[in-house]
Amino acid sequence: MAVIIAIAAAHALSATDMWPSGRLGATLAFGVVVAAVAGLVLAAARWAALPEPVCFDLVQRLAHALIPAAVAWMLASFGTVILFDGQLLVSTASDPFALGWDLFGTAGRKVDCFLRRPEPVWYAQCAVLLAGHGLSLVMVHDQVLAEQLPADRRRVRYATFGLLALLTALGVMILAG
């Protein structure tokens, strides 16, 4: 889950001026992003005041509840790529080897950039992030109530809420940049 969110965050950050150029710099930056997101997940589990073996056990038991947040990050980050570059599949299917074929009559088809302004895309990306993180919160809440956790249930919920709130704010800031 942390790696999926880190990949989406790295992809979004790579389009900004903050991302280093060059293969080595980009690789190191990606490693930093993955470590930071994984650190946030572990810090949230630690904040729930759990001993170490229970902390990792809790992360494993609640990991599935964070899948909607990870999917939301992927959709918000790669949704525009799929929406616009995905249109190239139609023309590529007609001429898969770039030999001048037109098997389906769609080889000359171009990408339709039907959105003229970036604001609707940003609002849609933010809505996807908020919906995914909200669903994750509901799933964490249900999982915490269903299990007999060794720690105070409220602390686990607050730690997860803090983690998701931080990731949501990070996602909106990255998308705004």
Side-chain angles (χ1 to χ4, degrees), residues 89-135:
L89 289 175
V90 176
S91 60
T92 305
S94 271
D95 189 11
F97 303 111
L99 297 174
W101 299 349
D102 195 5
L103 299 174
F104 306 113
T106 59
R109 190 166 178 173
K110 303 292 182 211
V111 174
D112 179 18
C113 295
F114 54 89
L115 294 172
R116 302 294 179 225
R117 297 179 336 175
E119 291 87 5
V121 174
W122 186 79
Y123 286 125
Q125 288 171 323
C126 288
V128 166
L129 273 179
L130 291 174
H133 286 215
L135 183 57

Side-chain angles (χ1 to χ4, degrees), residues 10-133:
H11 176 261
L13 282 171
S14 68
T16 66
D17 293 335
M18 296 185 303
W19 197 256
S21 60
R23 184 172 292 169
L24 179 61
T27 302
L28 291 175
F30 177 73
V32 168
V33 171
V34 170
V37 172
L40 287 174
V41 171
L42 290 176
R46 280 295 218 196
W47 185 55
L50 300 172
E52 190 152 324
V54 177
C55 173
F56 290 111
D57 183 50
L58 177 65
V59 169
Q60 289 176 344
R61 289 191 293 176
L62 294 179
H64 75 280
L66 299 178
I67 290 173
V71 170
W73 271 81
M74 295 301 284
L75 286 176
S77 183
F78 294 107
T80 54
V81 173
I82 294 168
L83 186 63
F84 294 113
D85 290 346
Q87 294 178 35
L88 293 174
L89 289 175
V90 176
S91 60
T92 305
S94 271
D95 189 11
F97 303 111
L99 297 174
W101 299 349
D102 195 5
L103 299 174
F104 306 113
T106 59
R109 190 166 178 173
K110 303 292 182 211
V111 174
D112 179 18
C113 295
F114 54 89
L115 294 172
R116 302 294 179 225
R117 297 179 336 175
E119 291 87 5
V121 174
W122 186 79
Y123 286 125
Q125 288 171 323
C126 288
V128 166
L129 273 179
L130 291 174
H133 286 215

